Structure formats: C-alpha cells, structure tokens
Amino acid sequence: MRYRMRMFVLVYVLVFAGMMLFWWGPSKLHYGMYSTLQQGHSLRTVSIVRDVQAAGVAIDDPAYGYDNYTSNFWNHSTAFCDGRFIGYSRLLAILRNVVLDFKFARGQKGGENISDVINQPEEEEFYKYLPGFFKLPCKEPIEYNFIGDSHHLNSWIENALETDGKVFSREAGIYIDWTIAITRYEYANLYHTMTDYYNAFLMLKMFRLNSKDVTILIIDGHPSGGLDATWRYLFGKVKRVSDFRKPTLFKNMIWSMAGYESPLDDHFLPNVPYIEEFREFFLFHYDVSSSYKLNCKRLNILLIWRHDYLAHPRNPSGKVSRKINNEFELLSKMQETFRTHNVRGIQIDKYPMKKQLQMIAKTDILIGMHGAGLSHTLFLPKHSGLLEMFSMYYTAENRHFRAMAGWRGLHYRNWENMDYEREVMEESTNVDEAEVARLTVEISEQMCPKSS
C-alpha cells in the first residue's frame, strides 16, 4: 500500500511539473522577468560575466545587476562568437563590432512626407533582407531565436546576419556610440510608439547608459510621422538605417525588444519596472515640471476628444472611430457639476508633444474614450485619476489604460455603453453625461475625501 501511495504521489508530481513546464515555457518566460514581485537572483556564471565584459558593459559598476529586472536578463543570456553576440531572455540582444551594410536591404528609404506616399502598401515600409545586412567577424553560426512577436529580430537572425570571419575594412565608417536598433510596427499610434520609447528606456537601464550617449537606429521605411520628433527629444541622436550609405561598423549595437513584447503591452502584469522613473525621464527631456501638487479646491479636469486626422498612408481620409458624438453636452454637464473647478475639452493630438505633456502633468482627472491618447496616463501626477469610456464595439476587455492606471496606483473608473441606440454608425457614441459626471465625482471624492 505504501509503495502504491508513493508511486501515486510521484506520478502526480511529475504530471504537475509537466503542466507547469508547458505553461511557463519560452513563450511565457518574459512574464516572470517583468514581475517586480520576484526575488532577486545573482549573476549566473563567471563565463556570462566575461561575455558581458566582452560586450562592453562595465560590470565593475556596483549597480550592475542591481535589481530584479536586469538581473533576470543576465541570468538568461546566451553568447556566440566570443561574446560578439549575446542574446538575453530571447527578447533582445547585443552585438559587438557588427557591420551594417544597407545595400543588402530592399524597401522604402523612409522619412517621406505622407502626402507623397498616400496608399503606399505597408509591406513596402518593412525591409526584405539578404545575408550580409549585418556581418559579424566570426565563423560560428548564430543559432538563436526570439520569442513571441519579435518577428523582425528573427528575420535579422535568419535572413540578414552573416558570420563570415572577414576582417572589417578600415576604409568604411566606424560608429562608436552605443546604438539601439528598433523596428516600429505602428509608428503613428501613440500607444504602440510608447511601447517603443519605453523599451529603449529599459535598454538604458539594463546597460547603464546615458540617453545623450545613445543613438536610436530606426530600421524601417515608414514615412515621416508626428511622433518622430519625440525620439530626438528623448535620446542623443536618431538615425534611419538608410542614412548609412556605405558599410559601417557599430562598436556596440543593441537589438531592442519588439514593441509587442514590451512590459507595457502585457496588461495582466502586476507591476512594470521603472514606471515612475520613465515618467520622470520623459518629462525631464521635454523640460516639463513633474512637481504639480493636488489642490482640492481647484481640480484640473481634462476631457480629450478623438477627431479625424491623417496619420499614415493607409488612411487618406483620416477617419477615426470611437469619437464622442455629444461632446458639447458632455462638457457642459461636467462644467455644471464642477462649477468651481477647471474643466476643459481638447483634441490633444493637435498640440506639439511638449504642450501635451505640460497639460497632462497638471491634470487631476483625465477623461476620454478608449484610444491611444490615453497613453498620457503614464504622465499624469501620482495622485490623479482616469475615467475611460468604451463604445459597444470596443469593450472594456481592452485593458491597456486600466493597466497603466493600476501600475501607477491611480484612481480608475470606466463607463461602457450597453445601448445600441447610443451608437452612431460604429463611429461615435452618445455617452451618458450624467453617469460620466457621477463617476468623475467618485474619483474626486477618492482624491479629496471629505473630513468627517
């Protein structure tokens, strides 16, 4: 009987372990790495330390591996070519002394005016590669793959990277700055571009870099967009890969993780690393104060509208959905409810980014339909609140901004339309003004509780 019982327990443990391994396989590995609730880990082995040294990272810096997030990456690194290629957690990589040769790429140059490329197919804005686009001076094959939606990184490995062992010609260019290479998938959308900004910021943290000493290398052929200038505010230099017309050696190139693999895009994470530091980083580089204090006698309440605008070549009409059909009535109701406070309604994307941030950094309650503009939740004051509205055809199951508010500890409410008669051609919604006002009052009372 004891033998049978032991065998039963052993089988149970093995089955359970197998299920956990299936669930926490490579595709789930990064979830655990992003959780700041995990216990810290020490550096893995002496060989990994040597690999990192070869990549140019100063591990004698006492801050090296100083937190759970970066140490988890160090613990899951794989090196090739004597440390010239190191992959981390199948999400990103660093290449040392890699040569980039743009003649081995096919696609649009990028940076054109949208009006010149109207109706341009999106596939023309993503490069097709030939072996030799990237070259490493070694003969070892790079047998590495990236997880999830890291499509361009896997394409760089499979189609673009060549290890031929040849010595680089000194007649070509040499780029000594640290370089973060990115491919943008939804470059005109503030939310998805925010994941790229944030990922690049994480690379600064991981490799202990100063933004002014880093070049952002854009490896795509998208035309010029309204969010491009922000890269130049946040980082020292921004280059398009098409700017390099001759082979160029990059001393240290980071292949940043894909936007779709960003912690910001995993809405069920309990925490996200450096979220408040990212806010400070962003506001600092735009010279916007982050010291705004709550004044319960004069709240700043900002409603943001979604209006049509031309953002990319595939939507020449500029039509957008999820608009508020009764903007004037909603604004009037809010001003009536909050008579002694400052209540405004604006189309925020009409303003330059600096002006947007100046307004957001002094907003106590932000209100808007679910949409990319609510990415500004990341830059609200720490005491503030978000009221998110949803149409019937874009429900509250979309947790993008609820997650952001949760990570930052902000007050959050949402209103979701359940009445078809409030929808106008799946384009705009007549929101319930009274209910939105009531929910806003709830947020204000949480922020400013009345004394008993």
Side-chain angles (χ1 to χ4, degrees):
M1 180 64 71
R2 286 184 183 175
Y3 175 77
R4 288 181 180 177
M5 182 61 71
R6 288 175 182 172
M7 289 301 296
F8 174 79
V9 172
L10 178 61
V11 170
Y12 179 84
V13 170
L14 289 175
V15 170
F16 179 77
M19 291 174 64
M20 293 302 293
L21 181 61
F22 173 80
W23 178 249
W24 291 99
S27 64
K28 302 290 182 182
L29 180 62
H30 64 296
Y31 181 94
M33 291 174 191
Y34 296 147
S35 173
T36 56
L37 299 180
Q38 286 188 315
Q39 295 299 314
H41 297 283
S42 59
L43 291 175
R44 189 176 170 192
T45 61
V46 173
S47 63
I48 294 238
V49 172
R50 289 173 181 163
D51 292 339
V52 175
Q53 282 179 317
V57 178
I59 64 168
D60 55 337
D61 186 332
Y64 175 81
Y66 72 110
D67 57 33
N68 299 338
Y69 183 79
T70 56
S71 65
N72 272 315
F73 275 114
W74 302 136
N75 284 341
H76 295 87
S77 66
T78 306
F80 299 87
C81 295
D82 296 324
R84 291 185 179 89
F85 180 103
I86 306 176
Y88 295 95
S89 302
R90 301 198 178 278
L91 286 169
L92 61 121
I94 182 170
L95 287 76
R96 181 171 178 266
N97 291 338
V98 61
V99 176
L100 186 149
D101 194 342
F102 185 65
K103 73 184 179 189
F104 291 98
R106 302 289 182 268
Q108 288 289 94
K109 178 181 178 181
E112 303 87 357
N113 290 326
I114 296 180
S115 58
D116 295 333
V117 291
I118 288 293
N119 294 316
Q120 173 176 265
E122 188 173 22
E123 56 266 24
E124 292 185 15
E125 299 174 12
F126 294 101
Y127 294 119
K128 294 179 176 62
Y129 304 102
L130 300 173
F133 181 76
F134 293 112
K135 295 187 182 76
L136 278 175
C138 68
K139 291 187 177 180
E140 180 184 355
I142 310 297
E143 296 178 352
Y144 195 80
N145 66 288
F146 297 89
I147 63 175
D149 291 311
S150 305
H151 304 304
H152 68 279
L153 296 179
N154 283 320
S155 180
W156 292 354
I157 286 277
E158 296 164 10
N159 305 315
L161 182 60
E162 184 178 83
T163 52
D164 60 8
K166 295 180 181 177
V167 177
F168 176 66
S169 172
R170 293 293 177 180
E171 296 177 0
I174 299 179
Y175 209 78
I176 62 173
D177 287 355
W178 277 78
T179 303
I180 300 175
I182 64 167
T183 290
R184 305 163 302 161
Y185 287 99
E186 300 186 47
Y187 75 103
N189 178 288
L190 179 61
Y191 169 78
H192 289 287
T193 304
M194 194 64 67
T195 65
D196 288 327
Y197 297 148
Y198 177 79
N199 285 357
F201 169 76
L202 286 183
M203 299 304 98
L204 300 182
K205 299 297 295 182
M206 180 172 177
F207 293 99
R208 306 299 296 165
L209 302 172
N210 190 308
S211 62
K212 65 181 174 51
D213 300 323
V214 168
T215 295
I216 298 296
L217 179 63
I218 296 174
I219 305 185
D220 61 54
H222 296 309
S224 179
L227 299 172
D228 293 359
T230 295
W231 286 107
R232 294 180 174 84
Y233 270 88
L234 300 180
F235 297 90
K237 299 176 186 174
V238 180
K239 297 279 189 181
R240 289 184 176 271
V241 68
S242 56
D243 294 339
F244 294 90
R245 308 307 296 181
K246 63 180 181 179
T248 304
L249 181 143
F250 288 79
K251 298 292 288 182
N252 296 288
M253 178 184 288
I254 300 166
W255 288 3
S256 184
M257 50 188 173
Y260 294 134
E261 292 299 327
S262 174
L264 291 186
D265 206 40
D266 193 336
H267 308 138
F268 290 94
L269 287 177
N271 293 284
V272 165
Y274 310 118
I275 196 75
E276 295 303 322
E277 194 169 341
F278 178 64
R279 175 181 185 261
E280 296 292 329
F281 169 81
F282 217 98
L283 296 181
F284 172 80
H285 282 86
Y286 271 96
D287 195 24
V288 174
S289 173
S290 61
S291 60
Y292 172 75
K293 302 298 182 184
L294 174 64
N295 178 3
C296 290
K297 294 181 179 179
R298 182 71 173 172
L299 296 176
N300 290 323
I301 301 173
L302 184 66
L303 295 92
I304 57 176
W305 315 131
R306 287 173 59 84
H307 290 171
D308 296 343
Y309 72 105
L310 178 61
H312 61 77
R314 267 74 62 190
N315 184 18
S317 69
K319 286 285 185 183
V320 301
S321 60
R322 285 171 275 134
K323 292 179 280 196
I324 299 172
N325 197 55
N326 55 333
E327 288 178 353
F328 176 79
E329 293 81 1
L330 176 61
L331 182 60
S332 296
K333 179 65 175 177
M334 295 297 296
Q335 290 172 336
E336 176 188 334
T337 304
F338 293 88
R339 291 181 182 276
T340 62
H341 301 279
N342 179 33
V343 182
R344 300 175 60 195
I346 62 168
Q347 181 186 346
I348 197 166
D349 54 50
K350 287 180 62 176
Y351 295 90
M353 181 60 74
K354 181 168 184 174
K355 180 63 176 177
Q356 294 181 40
L357 293 170
Q358 287 173 334
M359 290 186 284
I360 290 293
K362 293 182 178 180
T363 293
D364 298 299
I365 303 176
L366 179 65
I367 303 171
M369 291 291 285
H370 175 86
L374 294 187
S375 301
H376 280 299
T377 300
L378 292 171
F379 309 121
L380 289 168
K382 186 65 176 171
H383 64 258
S384 62
L386 171 66
L387 172 52
E388 184 176 14
M389 297 177 287
F390 293 90
S391 64
M392 290 196 75
Y393 50 89
Y394 219 88
T395 71
E397 292 180 5
N398 292 276
R399 296 174 52 87
H400 307 59
F401 310 110
R402 179 175 187 163
M404 288 182 180
W407 293 327
R408 299 200 57 226
L410 309 183
H411 306 286
Y412 179 85
R413 295 288 188 282
N414 65 45
W415 174 83
E416 185 174 5
N417 182 32
M418 303 301 240
D419 181 359
Y420 280 108
E421 293 187 358
R422 287 187 176 275
E423 300 295 346
V424 181
M425 302 291 291
E426 289 196 350
E427 183 177 297
S428 60
T429 304
N430 288 295
V431 305
D432 187 332
E433 305 141 24
E435 182 63 8
V436 170
R438 186 189 71 79
L439 291 169
T440 308
V441 169
E442 279 190 8
I443 294 176
S444 67
E445 290 178 344
Q446 270 196 311
M447 292 168 51
C448 302
K450 296 176 181 178
S451 57
S452 54

